[in-house]
DNA sequence: ATGAAAGCGCTAACAA
DNA sequence: TTGTTAGCGCTTTCAT
């Protein structure tokens, strides 16, 4: 029999080393695939480790190596929308193939909270992180982010880092043109404020679409509000009084609120109002008629974010340049359905 | 000037101790609120640490203490449903107030993967975890879970641990009675297999409801399938050929698939078919008419899970008993809307 | 190719 | 009340 490890069920390198009559250094080397160990010995060590069910203590490993990709962070502002929670979960899935564990934190869109969380993540020696920044990122936060491989998601905070965003400008252009082609000239837009980087992008797309459609963007009924369902409901109610015949919504929660406001108002879709919503078509397909949706590729965003993060970690390790710090766009799709049709007047 | 810390931007206990002319032990004690340090000194140490922007290395701390609540795990099978991803995110939010970071992992409902993830979590010396077990939990997995404070979520795997579940039996009874009271006698049920603990619970509720309604559960059209949207669509299609006048769905993804199948079939709701779906009413409210929904309290589930986990951690620390290992139920609500009405024949 | 030994940054005995 | 000294379990020089 071999000696009992101190902590029940936990085998360590010293146990392996003792049992095999080699040094802990050799064990470590074998386990980490160092070439500096006789292949046959290495194999024997690995086999024994396996048989003993050895799993390295990630804490000790990371602490010792002082640089490891044991952990990465994922920082999101909200929990109740798939844009964040589903993307986070998908990212965790993808990262696990890299042997990396993902620590998830939620800021509530509060910059102070964000800083606190980030400090704690750094205290856990994360190798890098994906973040959807709050609206008012603090300077200190920015400084901390400067020291790590960072990937921004959905929102940009002005730091020098690669960011993964839905390519909304183009699809917004397309949405407006779609409606214009159907004959609409009174088109409204409900979106998020320009202070949110993605809000600005979407609005720009909308305006460009108006121009391309030969319509005046200045005269378009526009509402820009913080992205909550309630705000969407209220803003939509207000828009419905303006005589528009078509409405584009730029935001997932806003879309839910809008749909509810439209039903509540008794407005028939698409007879009285053509409607283009934004988000996960899985849900909007439930509406009757199914809603024409700007389908965001959440899985694609998660994949790209995971890839960029891993690239960043690799670069940090090898001293290379890392992924280009700018927008990495994932194309959404305009999914035409029954909620858009020619105006009926 | 104080000496430069080795690693840029990182102050350690030794730095603080040196600068203050005390020992690292005293610093550690002060920072951890030990009573065994002169209050005035403690305060001075804390103030200085604060001023230097000291944040303890969580890895070192956890490694040294050999028992800490630096990390907990959260293990889910799927990413694309709010039942998992939103609950996970909310839990992360709640745990952070406890100073605990949450590592999120996804199993893809694969028992092997689940075991691998769990091993890695243990390797990160997690203090405990919340898990939605896969359908075929491996023995080794069970053994590992036995060594930790565990809280089960949504699904039970037969281990001795507290679990947080939606109290679906009661609401299923209620759903059937609701339909029966409207005059339906041909009621169908589409749910998840009995192998899934929550599938069994729901089916039991449905059957009890049938009995209470004076209907024969044996003659009820029933389909039990793995919870995916596609399966829901297919099963619903099949159910629509059976002449039922009302349908209860027990599962979020199944509900989405069902709704789509019903629309595709051209069935009018509620004239041709009364429909009760399951999940987040936010989305089902979009349907026209809005769907009568079994509203699961995801936030409530997350809260309860976080509470139980923390209780478990506290108990482990203090040697107390810990939360009672059984079902902790969170009540869902039947939210009547426009998709249920008396049968029209 | 291998081993001895020095840490990684912290906490916790044990002394004083 | 405070300091000294071992570790926690691993990786990594530096010798050999």
């Amino acid at each position: 029999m071999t000696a009992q490890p101190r902590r029940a069920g936990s085998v360590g390198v010293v146990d392996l080393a003792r049992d095999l009559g080699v040094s802990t250094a050799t064990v470590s080397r074998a386990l980490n695939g160092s070439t500096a160990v006789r292949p046959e010995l290495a194999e024997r060590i690995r086999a024994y480790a396996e048989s003993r069910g050895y799993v390295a203590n990630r804490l000790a490993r990371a602490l010792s190596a002082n640089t490891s990709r044991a952990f990465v962070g994922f920082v999101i502002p909200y929990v109740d929308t798939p844009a964040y929670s589903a993307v986070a979960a998908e990212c965790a899935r993808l990262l696990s193939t890299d042997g990396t564990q993902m620590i998830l934190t939620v800021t509530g869109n509060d910059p102070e909270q964000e800083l606190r969380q980030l400090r704690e993540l750094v205290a856990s020696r994360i190798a890098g992180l994906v973040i959807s920044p709050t609206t008012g990122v603090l300077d200190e936060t920015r400084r901390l982010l400067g020291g790590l491989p960072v990937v921004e998601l959905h929102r940009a905070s002005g730091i020098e880092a690669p960011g993964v965003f839905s390519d909304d400008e183009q699809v917004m252009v397309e949405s407006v043109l779609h409606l214009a082609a159907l004959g609409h000239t009174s088109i409204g837009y409900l979106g998020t404020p320009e202070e949110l980087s993605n809000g600005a992008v979407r609005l720009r797309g909308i305006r460009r679409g108006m121009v391309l459609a030969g319509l005046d963007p200045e005269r378009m009924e526009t509402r820009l509000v913080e992205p909550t369902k309630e705000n969407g409901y209220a803003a939509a109610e207000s828009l419905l009084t303006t005589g528009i015949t078509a409405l584009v919504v730029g935001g997932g929660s806003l879309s839910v609120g809008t749909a509810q406001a439209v039903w509540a108002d008794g407005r028939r879709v698409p007879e009285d109002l053509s409607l283009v919503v934004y988000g996960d078509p899985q849900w909007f397909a439930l509406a009757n008629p199914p809603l024409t949706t700007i389908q965001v590729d959440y899985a694609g965003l998660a994949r790209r974010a995971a890839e960029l993060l891993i690239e960043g970690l690799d670069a940090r390790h090898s001293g290379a340049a890392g992924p280009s710090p700018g927008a990495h766009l994932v194309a959404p799709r305009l999914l035409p359905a029954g909620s858009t049709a020619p105006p009926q007047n």
Side-chain angles (χ1 to χ4, degrees), chain A:
Chain A
M1 282 310 310
T2 62
Q4 279 306 318
R6 224 175 322 56
R7 208 184 133 117
S10 168
V11 198
V13 279
V14 293
D15 302 299
L16 302 179
R18 191 183 0 74
D19 294 355
L20 262 42
V22 298
S23 75
T24 60
T26 302
V27 171
S28 174
R29 284 193 270 255
L31 261 24
N32 293 315
S34 160
T35 57
V37 58
R38 191 155 35 87
E40 170 211 313
L41 211 209
E43 193 40 57
R44 198 150 59 86
I45 294 176
R46 278 193 285 266
Y48 183 68
E50 167 81 51
S51 80
R52 292 291 307 267
Y54 170 79
V55 185
N57 182 326
R58 295 175 71 105
L59 267 36
R61 199 200 281 265
L63 180 63
S64 171
N66 210 356
T67 166
S68 85
R69 47 182 68 187
F71 302 111
V72 297
F74 201 104
V75 183
I76 59 177
Y78 299 117
V79 307
D80 57 354
T81 138
Y84 297 115
S85 56
V87 172
E90 174 67 5
C91 232
R93 198 176 70 76
L94 296 169
L95 288 167
S96 77
T97 68
D98 198 56
T100 295
Q101 289 178 346
M102 197 190 90
I103 301 172
L104 178 65
T105 68
V106 184
T107 65
N109 202 34
D110 170 8
E112 307 272 355
Q113 188 91 348
E114 181 177 54
L115 175 55
R116 222 169 304 140
Q117 312 274 31
L118 193 53
R119 282 222 178 88
E120 289 298 328
L121 287 172
V122 170
S124 289
R125 294 298 184 267
I126 53 167
L129 50 54
V130 177
I131 183 171
S132 286
T134 58
T135 318
V137 175
L138 303 175
D139 283 349
E140 174 66 4
T141 301
R142 229 176 278 275
R143 210 185 56 71
L144 281 175
L145 290 175
L148 290 167
V150 172
V151 175
E152 293 187 311
L153 174 70
H154 291 319
R155 304 166 161 194
S157 69
I159 67 171
E160 172 145 334
V164 184
F165 312 103
S166 184
D167 188 6
D168 289 342
E169 179 163 356
Q170 193 49 45
V171 82
M172 285 298 173
V173 171
E174 203 178 319
S175 299
V176 172
L177 290 176
H178 168 59
L179 292 169
L182 288 172
H184 291 275
T185 54
S186 265
I187 303 175
Y189 174 64
L190 168 51
T192 55
E194 296 192 76
E195 288 74 50
L196 268 63
S197 58
N198 51 13
V201 167
R202 291 172 197 158
L203 183 59
R204 194 161 53 222
I206 290 287
R207 299 212 138 132
R208 201 147 65 78
M210 291 293 279
V211 172
L212 286 176
L215 300 170
D216 183 358
E218 299 308 320
R219 304 191 45 190
M220 177 176 59
E221 290 292 343
T222 305
R223 300 287 185 281
L224 304 181
V225 298
E226 281 294 318
T228 69
K229 192 173 59 168
E230 292 69 27
N231 285 345
Y233 192 101
E237 270 187 325
S238 140
L239 279 165
L240 287 178
T241 66
T242 63
I244 54 173
T245 62
L247 176 58
V248 179
V249 187
S253 300
L254 294 179
S255 294
V256 176
T258 298
Q260 294 183 353
V262 170
W263 304 158
D265 191 71
R267 209 67 64 115
R268 289 172 310 159
V269 173
E271 292 84 352
D272 303 332
L273 182 79
S274 280
L275 189 56
V276 178
V277 296
Y278 182 101
D280 188 336
Q282 162 169 224
W283 304 108
F284 298 118
L286 290 179
N288 198 359
L291 304 182
T292 295
T293 304
I294 294 168
Q295 171 178 23
V296 182
D297 182 6
Y298 293 117
L301 287 163
R303 202 176 324 115
R304 202 80 192 81
E307 286 168 1
L308 286 170
L309 183 57
I310 289 176
E311 271 183 58
L313 302 186
D314 289 342
R316 178 66 50 119
H317 189 72
S318 70
S324 69
H328 294 248
L329 299 178
V330 176
R333 264 183 54 202
L334 180 62
L335 210 72
S339 70
T340 44
Q344 306 254 327
N345 56 346

